[in-house]
Each structure stands twice: as structure tokens, then as C-alpha cells.
Amino acid sequence: MKKKIPLTGNAAFAEAMRQINPDVVAAYPITPQTEIMMTFAEFVADGLVDTELVTAESEHSAMSACVGASAAGARVMTATSAQGLALMHEVVYIASGLRLPIVMGVVNRALSAPINIHCDHADTMAERDSGWIQIYSETAQEVYDHTILAIRLAEREDVRLPVMVCQDGFITSHGVEPVEILDDEVVKKFIGEFKPWNPLLDTDNPKTYGALDLFDYYFEHKRQQFEAMKHVPKAYEEVAEELSKITGRKYPKVEGFYMDDAEYVIVVMSSTAGTTKHVVKELRAQGKKVGLLKIRLYRPFPKEEISRLLEGKKAVAVLDRAYSVGAEAPLFCEIKSALYDVKAKPVLASYIYGLGGRDTPPSLIRSVYEDLMNGNISKEEKYLGVRE
Amino acid sequence: MPLTVRDLLKREEKFVYGHRLCPGCGAALTARLTMLAINEPVVVSCATGCLEVSTTIYPYTAWRVSWIHSAFENAAATISGVEAAYRALKKKGKISKDVKFVAFGGDGGTYDIGLQSLSGALERGHDFLYICYNNEGYMNTGAQRSGGTPMCADTTTAPVGKVIPGKTQWRKDLTAIVAGHHIPYVAQTTLHNPLDLVNKVRKAIETPGPAFINVLAPCVRFWRVDPADMIKLCKLAVDTCFWPVFEIINDEWKLSYKPKEKKPIEEFLKIQGRFRHLFVPEKRHLIDEIQKHVDREWNFVLKMCGETV
Ligand SMILES: Cc1ncc(C[n+]2csc(CCOP(=O)(O)OP(=O)(O)O)c2C)c(N)n1
């Protein structure tokens, strides 16, 4: 029996965590993620889960404890945002390098300086090369579904990699939406028992994690990690398909909206995809051939699907809620690279939007489509909604 | 019953030959004695540093136990995760045996960069033993100063120059900082007497909750001494009261060793190359200052232990 209840994105993540009942959760508060840990701590206090909650003294230690717990043989989860993720940075690489299937909720927030607590994607973009799978969520429903999906994906024998489930700070994390929740038993059955491999706690068969790996082996071990990431697209599809059967919802790596005959397309991730869908419907009502490409799985980057969907379009605008100071914005850069191999290349435009939580109303999205339709496209990136 | 050498001889070594630590390395002996003292199943976490890089060069290891290295500053946080996993799995009936947990960090990884992670783990009350093998500097990166380096030592980031006589600050009292956490077991020792360390490890391991031992573990290269003199050096450290050895059990301080006759600090300093620059007439006042500081620290310990000063 599925039931629909009003939840924030944070509460949706916490609810999924309750149903997953991880062995260990180690975390440290940071806005706008705090609510996840407060909600989960209540679950622990009320005995609704039997998780060991490690209330670490910092995010660096939280991720370190996650690494220790996961290597020990536990199912492990955590959550963070912005500065917290940045403080974890060193250990984020260790988690993936040691092939530990930790699942982390990231509530996207701008990085300092200047200090800001609102949404952009600079924090997770800074970790895009860290070897974690990254899934971006448009709605609280997606946060919930992705979290359950992430557990299965991370723990697949052919994957064994950590996953970040991202959502937009204060937009998704604090907005209340109706979320359809699966039965506890259904979730339990879907994720199954965690079967650790090479756990430290198998002390009869001692294990070594994190040995010194010089030029004679490091490269080969990294090569294996890259290979594991290559298994993700297929593994992802299989897990997503299985979850779809239960929920009735689809989780393609990239989601096309009115793409079939679209000539003018916006590529965007997370909550802004929702705003864009609204604008697409309005413009479609006026007979405009517009479409949206929403990226759900950002790491590994679904290059093939993207180039297939964008080939032959007239003009494509890539909206980045992040930046790379001194170079092209990250998503734009990768879309451009994905299109290198296609024959009929669309004209490309780069837009940076929403930094530090700057509001991105439908009117701004509409202005992007208008730029595309009017050929108002420059080589330089544009800043959406900034005061120049 | 305290362990004896005879007991130890019967035990299987869990930290074994084949590592690449230097002859006379204090960290190696600390690790070996610690592992000898623990007969139970154990998981070890190691901070980045000499002990870590020299003992697990892939595909080899000198550890016959489960072992994890994550980063430099997080040995305590990492082991707290392992220990939390153990508690979770035990609660769920997935593990039945009793397992012990030990973290090793150098003074760099403990006095400095890892202090926060250590403090957090102690405050949270994880059941583990943290051993600081304290060689009073960063050895793995080439003998730089740490917060545990004593005043006037010659280090590569606080070198002896024409105007500056080595490190210009006193070392911090990490053991007292740890004692401030009021954890059930805290101790300080060195390698002057192997059984002192072994029996402190035993007590620490048998005490539920967090335990900490600060082991003065000379680095013969940094201290510039003959490897054969390592133990002699540790004896001088306790006999000059440069390194008091004591235990703090449930906030009760207890002296483990009181020299019959306190030797002057020169005796400890003069056999080490890192203090050689002090032994010229114009630097005499520095030795006097060091003596005064040693006396002050020693008196503090005596007072805490309820001994007469
Ligand atoms: C974040 C970080 N900063 C710096 C280093 C470089 N580093 C590795 S080991 C080390 C010194 C270790 O000193 P200590 O903890 O005293 O152990 P020892 O080498 O003396 O055994 C340093 C500075 C590092 N690995 N990580």
C-alpha cells in the first residue's frame, strides 16, 4: 500500500533513511541539511531504527567515521551541504578510492565566500571528479525514490561505489510536497540485506584498507575504480527499472520533456527542471517547438543519451547553477564535449543562473527560450537574473 | 595480573618483521609491544605517518590483524566508525565475538592536525585505545616541528640559524589535554621499560570506553642518536623527568616511576644531535630555561599524583 504524505525534501530523505535503517549514520549539522539529521535523530531516539548514530565533531570526521564503518562491514549513510562537503573533500575521495558504498544526501548550497546558505551546485560540482555517483533530484518525490535506488546501486557487486543524492537547498529541501511513500516492508525487500565484502570485522581473516600504493600499483587500482564506474550506467538502468515496477515512476538517466520534435532546448538539473517544464508547456500552447533535457544522473555522465537527444536540435541552452572561474561552466563544458561527435550540431549557449539562491522564475527561463528562438546567442556565457 | 616477559614470549606477534621502519625506531617498538599486549581480535586504524607508510607498502603488510588507514588527521574518527559498526552489527546479532579497537597516530597526527578528531572521538565515548607514538616531530615529511616538539630542538621548519636557536615554543601537554576529557584511562609512558607500556596497554584495553596512551617513541634519525642508544635515551627521558610516566584512572593521577635521583636535563639533551647547538657557553641560559620548564612540568605531575614536590 503506497501512501501520499506531505513532506519536505529533507524529510523525504530522512523517511527513506528510516526505512533503510542503516547500521551506521555519522553526520554533522549544516544548513540546509540540518533537518535531515534532526529528523533522523528523532527516529533513533524513538527506537524506530536501530542505527548507531555517530554525532561527529565535524564533517571531516563524519565522513571518516563513515569510511571506517563501511570498511568494517556496515551499511552507512550521511548527509551534508556546501562547506560541510568541502570539509569532507579529502575523505570523499578516500571513500570512493576504497570502494565503499556509502550513500550521502547532499542538499546543494553555495560555497563561501561570500557566505551564503542558499542553493547552487558549486558544492557538488567541486566533487564531480571524486569518484562518487551523483544523482540530482527535481522534487521531494525524487529525493525519496533516488535514495532507495542509491542504496541498491552503491551496493551492487559490479559497482561498489558511493553515491550522492542531491537536492536543491531550501527549494526542495524545505518546500513541502505530497510524496508517495512505499511500505516499510517493500523498501526492506527492495534493498535487501547488506552483504559486506572484505569487512574489517572479519578478524579471523584480517583485511588491510588504505595501504601505501606507490607508482607500481596505484594506477592499476585507479584503473579498476574507473572500470567500476563504467559498470554504473547498466547497473543503474537495471535498478531503476526494478524500482519503477514498484513505484510506477520512471527514472531515466536523462529525462526528455517534449523533446521529440523540439527545436529549442534547455538542459538543466534539479528543481529548475520543474520551472522549465512549466514554461515549456506554456510555450507549447503557443505552438513553439521547445523542449527540456533534465539530467538526473550526472556521474557517470550519460554522454550517449545526451548527444542522441540533442543531435539535430537548432539551439540548446545549458543552464549551470555552478561555475568554473576562468573556464566554461561545468555542465555546459560537458554538454559541449558530448556533442563533439554528433553530425548535426546545435548552436550552444551557456547560462549561469541562480547562484547563492537567486530566484529563477518562469520569466527568466522564458527569456532563455526567447534568446534561442531569436538567435540571440553569444559565445560568451550569460548570467541569468544578475544585476550588471 | 600484570603481564611478564615470559607471558609475552608465548604470544603470537601481530606486528611483524618485514616492515621498512628504521633500525631503532621507537614507533616500531611501540606498535610491536602494543600488539603483543592485545590478545583479543583487534582492528587497528593508523594515521598517515612513518608507521603507516612503512608497514603497509602494497602488496605487503607487517600487520597480522585487520587494519585501516584513511588519512592523516582522522585515525580516531575512522576507528570510531569501525567501532560504531561493531556495536550496530552486534546489536543486530550479526557479530558475536568481542573485538578491540586501536588507533595509532604520530605526534603530528595527534597533537596537531588530528587533535579535533581525537577529541571528538573521546568525547563521544567510543570503546577504543588511542596510542600516540610521539617522536616529537613530523618524521614522514622530513623532521619538521610539531606541537609536541620541545623547545630548542633543531627541526627542518624551525631550524637552528644564526639568530634563532631551533623551535622557539614549549611543547603542549597533550596528555593533560586528553585528561581534560575525563575518559576512564589515560597514561603516559616511553620505552624505558617494555612491561610498563605493555601493562598500560592491557589496562587500557580492558577498560570499557576510550583510553589514551602517549608514548615517547624516539626517532633516531631526527633526534640524531645511535640506534643502539634508543632505550638508553628513553631511560634518560624518565630519569631527567623530561618525560614523566604516569597513569590517570578515572581522574586519579598515579606516578608509575620516580627516579631515585633526578638527573640534570643536560644528560638527556647532550646525547642528541638535535640539541647539539645548545652546548656552547653563550647558549647556557637556554639549557637553564629548559631545566626550569622541565621542573615545572614535573612538579605539576607530582602535584597531580599527590606526591611531594
Ligand atoms: C592533510 C595532510 N597534510 C599533510 C600531510 C603530509 N604529511 C604526511 S605524514 C606527515 C607528518 C606525520 O608526522 P607524525 O604524525 O608525527 O608521524 P611520523 O611521521 O613522525 O611517524 C605529514 C605532514 C598529509 N598526509 N595530509
Side-chain angles (χ1 to χ4, degrees), chain A residues 90, chain B residues 48-50 72-73 106-109 113 133 135 137-141:
Chain A
E90 182 192 29
Chain B
T48 312
C50 282
F72 185 19
E73 60 283 272
D107 51 295
I113 197 167
Y133 66 94
N135 50 34
Y138 302 148
M139 295 310 102
N140 187 46
T141 37

Side-chain angles (χ1 to χ4, degrees), chain A residues 17-59:
Chain A
M17 278 174 98
R18 181 189 65 71
Q19 297 182 315
I20 291 161
N21 191 11
D23 299 311
V24 175
V25 166
Y28 191 81
I30 181 169
T31 304
Q33 165 274 122
T34 322
E35 197 190 355
I36 291 179
M37 280 342 292
M38 296 192 319
T39 311
F40 191 73
E42 278 181 30
F43 295 154
V44 176
D46 289 338
L48 299 180
V49 288
D50 40 10
T51 304
E52 280 296 325
L53 181 61
V54 180
T55 46
E57 85 298 334
S58 71
E59 288 88 349

Side-chain angles (χ1 to χ4, degrees), chain A residues 16 22 30 60 64 70 108 146 157 226 279 292 316-317 330 338 358:
Chain A
I30 181 169
H60 193 285
S64 303
S70 187
N108 284 111
H146 290 167
E157 192 91 13
F226 305 156
V279 174
L292 157 74
V316 172
R358 175 61 50 86

